[in-house]
Amino acid sequence: MSTAKTAEIAIFKRRESEARSYCRSIDAVFTSASGSELTDAEGRSYIDFLAGCSSLNYGHNDPDMKAALIDHIAGDGMAHALDLHTDAKGAFMEAFEAHILKPRDMDHRLMFTGPTGANAVEAALKIARKVTGRTNVIAFTNGFHGVTLGALAATGNSYHRGGAGTTLNGVTRMPYDGYMGKSVDTADLLEKMLDDRSSGVDAPAAILLETVQGEGGLTAARPEWVRRVAELARKHGALLIIDDIQAGCGRTGRFFSFEEMGVTPDIVTMAKSISGFGLPMALMLVRPKHDVFGPAEHNGTFRGNTHAFVTAKVAIEKFWADDTFQTGLDKQSLALTAALEELAALIPGAFLKGRGLMQGVDVGSGELAGDICARAFRKGLIVETSGPDDQVVKILAPLTTPPEVMTKGLNILLDAARDVAHQTKFAAE
Amino acid sequence: MSTAKTAEIAIFKRRESEARSYCRSIDAVFTSASGSELTDAEGRSYIDFLAGCSSLNYGHNDPDMKAALIDHIAGDGMAHALDLHTDAKGAFMEAFEAHILKPRDMDHRLMFTGPTGANAVEAALKIARKVTGRTNVIAFTNGFHGVTLGALAATGNSYHRGGAGTTLNGVTRMPYDGYMGKSVDTADLLEKMLDDRSSGVDAPAAILLETVQGEGGLTAARPEWVRRVAELARKHGALLIIDDIQAGCGRTGRFFSFEEMGVTPDIVTMAKSISGFGLPMALMLVRPKHDVFGPAEHNGTFRGNTHAFVTAKVAIEKFWADDTFQTGLDKQSLALTAALEELAALIPGAFLKGRGLMQGVDVGSGELAGDICARAFRKGLIVETSGPDDQVVKILAPLTTPPEVMTKGLNILLDAARDVAHQTKFAAE
Amino acid sequence: MSTAKTAEIAIFKRRESEARSYCRSIDAVFTSASGSELTDAEGRSYIDFLAGCSSLNYGHNDPDMKAALIDHIAGDGMAHALDLHTDAKGAFMEAFEAHILKPRDMDHRLMFTGPTGANAVEAALKIARKVTGRTNVIAFTNGFHGVTLGALAATGNSYHRGGAGTTLNGVTRMPYDGYMGKSVDTADLLEKMLDDRSSGVDAPAAILLETVQGEGGLTAARPEWVRRVAELARKHGALLIIDDIQAGCGRTGRFFSFEEMGVTPDIVTMAKSISGFGLPMALMLVRPKHDVFGPAEHNGTFRGNTHAFVTAKVAIEKFWADDTFQTGLDKQSLALTAALEELAALIPGAFLKGRGLMQGVDVGSGELAGDICARAFRKGLIVETSGPDDQVVKILAPLTTPPEVMTKGLNILLDAARDVAHQTKFAAE
Amino acid sequence: MSTAKTAEIAIFKRRESEARSYCRSIDAVFTSASGSELTDAEGRSYIDFLAGCSSLNYGHNDPDMKAALIDHIAGDGMAHALDLHTDAKGAFMEAFEAHILKPRDMDHRLMFTGPTGANAVEAALKIARKVTGRTNVIAFTNGFHGVTLGALAATGNSYHRGGAGTTLNGVTRMPYDGYMGKSVDTADLLEKMLDDRSSGVDAPAAILLETVQGEGGLTAARPEWVRRVAELARKHGALLIIDDIQAGCGRTGRFFSFEEMGVTPDIVTMAKSISGFGLPMALMLVRPKHDVFGPAEHNGTFRGNTHAFVTAKVAIEKFWADDTFQTGLDKQSLALTAALEELAALIPGAFLKGRGLMQGVDVGSGELAGDICARAFRKGLIVETSGPDDQVVKILAPLTTPPEVMTKGLNILLDAARDVAHQTKFAAE
């Protein structure tokens, strides 16, 4: 490590908590970013296939959002407004209604929760419990919904659960689609347990799921499974909550990950890319009949991050006012699949996971996947792993990545995989 | 309501959740803000004695922070960076170490949690439980620590607790300083219960308190009580967590509310004004020996809100590099006390609460306090209530409010109080 | 109802809680009992195929136990002795060691818990949690383990769970053997969830199961499934607890229900027939290495019901000192199966459940099963239902029932079933 | 230890769980008992001032109960009857109604729970939660209510709580009468916390208390405190549960410990001496309007211990049909106080605790109290300690103890105390 760099990162070693994580393997000090590329303090640039874990679906510093935000700040627009009415919030809501909700026949209301995904999940669980008067929530194997105590109870990962320091209650765990192999439809088990008055599964307030498990290893549920779960929720008086925090905002190729599945969730949680610019913002969509919180019953100081409303409005209007953007995603998605098939072919037993622009390759071990990502980083690509054993190389490039940058990034990844495959083979011999 | 205004707020009525709150009584649509003043869509201006519930201690759109933020954005500085190293984060940390921690002999590390106060509290409770291997946390009557499930268990307010939808566990409630009147030191009860092996109070992981209860009615603890609680925590192997989310960042007249009390908390939670600009940011300060989270054990997408780091650095350097600002606060605080004494004299039985620039008047009933605030709003002042029955008129003006604006605002408040007092008297006759 | 009878039961209507249950459908007032027969206040006698829900495996008032108990009382033997040493307790322990534990190579220690099955289960869960330092317990669909709060969390029945009045925590529910049909081995799911670090199933302190689910509908687990579960428990550091409260003491044809399955539970809970005479007594067997309670850490006033020790010793010595009794059970069991097949043939779709002397017929609906039992009662046979919908007619005759009484009882049951079948057919036509 | 005795107790060392307790310090093997005296296997006799922890208020093997029980057994009376109607149960209920409930104007119904005190407490908490739809229960410092999970949450002792192995939820702990010294009425704190909507104490389902804390150190509540608590319960819609398991059945000088206090509990829990003979039996008394369990919603196999009903009926009729017995208790109580004052005078700082025939001396340390009891045992008296630090020598002699036996026992105790006092003084010099 250069002396300059050592000096730059000394403050982090000295004063930042051991909880820091990504910066351990990706140990540059980043200074600027544009589109799908990052630059560090030493002037080196990187292609970004992590995109803030899907928080930067439109890339870094989108010029239109940037301009709107600078204008807003320069004009002394509101920054912080609690849950007061502001022009910026109103304009976002108008855009979201016009371009997202109405075209999809969704009558949902918007609740601006504290600006983290976990907070939206906490609000969703609370409102579902209030609506139904029940406490049990059904969540699935390998689900990830945040690490505050209410959300963490629904999260599957044992490392995160272990951090709770107390018991995590109120959630029944059920196997996600495909968990028991192709011959078993896990919705059968859910149905039987819900129908059986002696199963020990208390009547649920909600069924909570991701249609693609972003942290859990990019497992994608089949639409027919999601439909059956939705029907079971309805039959048993439970609310269907789709956590679209990572898979939403176009990541799977549509604005919502559940579009074209034939389900209307009672509640949708959103965060990550909803501001468009990577600014903290979270949203809970809830059907009017379930909008039962009293004033400030669930509150939070930063529920009115007005800067985020400014960029979020631009994002909606720029990308979702017509089909152009979405159509492009379909093409990109096919290209990504093709490249990843090439990658999978390099690693014996590797196979593809995911859907849309949220795909990856399960390479069989966390060590292997980590090695590929580490080599890619050294070659100028930022990419990360996912899954219970971190065994999936996960691609979360900005959806706006130009084809040539995409190709360049995928080539780096393939190079890294080839190095690893070669070395592994060599070691085996 | 004017037709224009009706149109402006239609979207909120149509699509915003019933959870919205402040906007119900303060029903303007705000468009810009500067210093201690807000402007609405109809061009009307308001003095702001709410300040984002103490999130805008340095006022709206501070020119230096604004300039730095625009520069950062214009130069394609990072917006979102997970927990990667960035120059902006490093610079904030250097400033915080140099101007806040070192002068106060604090060796604490910084953990950037999800950018809400509740998230910092959740992290604090988790780490305290991990450090001690215990689950019980002692919190106090009228404490407010957030509404996500872990934090909500420590919050006293029954309205918020009722929103949990499930049982809130792991917290023992003890009476705050002064709760049993002047003749009883509630620390005696805490001591007896902790010493008694059969009291039913399990050995605590932490004792969590605010030195001034911002939401709970502006009750301020005596320094000697805080010291006794700190000693009891140490004696019983519990961590002392001071929740400085509302009372910190200069609000009580010093950067931390516990300065000059002779205690060193094991953990401090911060949020609200820490970014300086009202941007979402939260911080947990933890002593190195208790910094036991593993990498990402407590994580969150927006823990790297780089825009907030940019403004936070300016805030620290501008206001806390020397004593000038702090000295001014002492004077302001005296002036505020004087004005509030005048107000209290108008209402039979009313009395002052709070400390520093976090003072208010308990007028005896929520109805009365709400009436005063509503009249003040119509006269151009935004001010809110606090306390279990909302019976305290609470002043949280920006700390940077110019004397003439402060006087103008306080005069409006006095006018409003006089109207109410007059009408009440009239009604009584 | 006769006037005499009305008078007899008036006190129950006037002063007994609504929680009373069996006496609602079986509304006689019983005065004496011997062997497998009961007599009521009006002199009517009944054959008993309920046997105190398997608490009277050796029949009512066994002459040898009766003589020993009368001798003990007449000689001023101890009645209540807390957990002091008594000759009666020592003698029972010697007999239990010699005739039960030693021949089965079991090194378990005996803990006399409060004299209810639920109390033994509570003790078992507590000790398993203490041994492992974990809280999660795996229990199964349709399991029944008692209704005190710790045990109730493991019980599957929603009616009983609903009585908790608070959340039931610390238990993960898994499908019992056969729950997903013959093509799915539910141990596969258990294995996958325990192996998967992101399944959301926390590392278990214990796996708790009945080998035949007495209340849950007489579902019997296959030995190979029990073995796999035992291996999974061992592999994952969890204790295997077999709840033999209803299925133990010879009910399945062996003293323990898990004999000949090739498993050695870490903990066995016993109650019901362990005293031999129907007196309150419960027992937790625990392997020495897991015997970690401190003195009185789990205590209870009646853990020394000395009368029960007196009869329990006689029961062990009379029935289990050699193979005679057990051999007879095999024959009885075959005869019972044959009779129940005859019964099942009367009801379209009916099928046999259970194992040994714990068999029944699932007649498809609770209404039908209840009707059969009600008719049987009017004909002089006491028999009850089981299962999530009370759809199983369950035979729990004393194991000592003479063949002619057994035949008589089964004939009454067949008559009752024929009446119902006839009427149902008639109604259908 | 004699060889014979070593042989006798070998089985306990070999096969009884480490949870055994009283037998460690009182290491005889008891063989018979009559009235207030016990005999061990070596023919030694002991005076019993422990009385099964108040389970033997009428002494061992009362001749009338003994005769009735032998008659019942000899005549093939029922032993076990689930919750079926039996003549024995009906007769007990008639006696209890006539001699206990009616004279005290109590309209309560009887629920025969599983035959342990903890089970009655579990039932009481469940029914209170069901009645109110609330979960929180208020219990007091140093309260003891049993060790099953629901009851244990209400128990104060940290040693027992530590055995839970999981979190104990749903209980708010408040200071018992006198806990903060004579100058503070702890009911003031309870009132303030219940009235304060932001205290963090959720609206309670029940307030649960003992009027004399049997295990907690014989602290007796003042009648006026109990009345205030009862009024607070009523005002706040909570049920008042008096746990009379140890203090009931005459122990304080009246049948119920709360008689003459001017309160009518909504629920009373009873066990220990209710059978009269030391047999397992528990009872929950509940006012008809709160008798809301469904059939078998709270159930248990041994809720019909018919032997216990037989002796319980004799106990009620023999001792409570008129005032003779009760009047005698008043005299005994005075004599006990006098003797204990003599004892207290021997130990510097010692003072009396308790009420009625449930008195003791706080000698300041558990070591001292244990030493006195150990010496007393060697002199032929069985007596035990109580309190958070076992610092109270507790007298629980049978209420039927003849004056000369009482005097003899107290003299032994005084001798033991003198030895200890002498030795302590000697050591100090």
Side-chain angles (χ1 to χ4, degrees), chain C residues 197-275:
Chain C
R197 294 190 300 172
S198 209
S199 68
V201 174
D202 298 319
I207 304 183
L208 169 66
L209 64 92
E210 303 154 285
T211 69
V212 185
Q213 299 186 311
E215 296 301 302
L218 291 181
T219 307
R222 292 165 304 127
E224 52 270 35
W225 184 86
V226 175
R227 267 194 302 279
R228 272 195 74 190
V229 170
E231 281 155 24
L232 288 170
R234 194 187 39 72
K235 177 180 167 193
H236 289 278
L239 272 59
L240 177 69
I241 305 174
I242 293 191
D243 179 340
D244 235 18
I245 291 169
Q246 186 157 154
C249 298
R251 179 53 61 188
T252 63
R254 295 294 174 268
F255 185 79
F256 293 115
S257 75
F258 52 83
E259 285 182 43
E260 302 171 5
M261 281 191 173
V263 300
T264 304
D266 296 294
I267 295 176
V268 183
T269 54
M270 311 204 74
K272 294 203 184 268
S273 277
I274 188 67
S275 83

Side-chain angles (χ1 to χ4, degrees), chain B residues 41 45 58 71 112 138 157 178 184 220-221 230 247 269 294 314 329 340 368-369 372 379 383 400 420:
Chain B
S45 66
Y58 314 107
D71 271 6
F112 299 96
I138 291 180
N157 188 287
V184 179
T269 54
V314 176
L329 297 181
L340 294 181
L368 207 59
I372 292 170
K379 293 170 195 281
V383 63
T400 54
V420 169

Side-chain angles (χ1 to χ4, degrees), chain B residues 202-252:
Chain B
D202 298 319
I207 303 183
L208 167 66
L209 63 92
E210 304 153 284
T211 68
V212 186
Q213 299 186 312
E215 296 301 302
L218 291 181
T219 307
R222 292 166 303 129
E224 52 269 35
W225 185 85
V226 175
R227 267 194 301 280
R228 273 195 73 191
V229 171
E231 281 154 25
L232 289 170
R234 192 186 41 73
K235 178 180 166 194
H236 289 279
L239 273 59
L240 176 69
I241 305 175
I242 292 191
D243 179 340
D244 234 17
I245 291 170
Q246 185 158 153
C249 297
R251 179 52 65 188
T252 63

Side-chain angles (χ1 to χ4, degrees), chain D residues 26-41:
Chain D
I26 305 172
D27 65 348
V29 177
F30 297 99
T31 54
S32 66
S34 180
S36 301
E37 291 178 82
L38 290 162
T39 306
D40 76 9

Side-chain angles (χ1 to χ4, degrees), chain C residues 47-58:
Chain C
I47 294 176
D48 186 4
F49 276 13
L50 175 54
C53 282
S54 205
S55 297
L56 293 157
N57 283 1
Y58 314 108

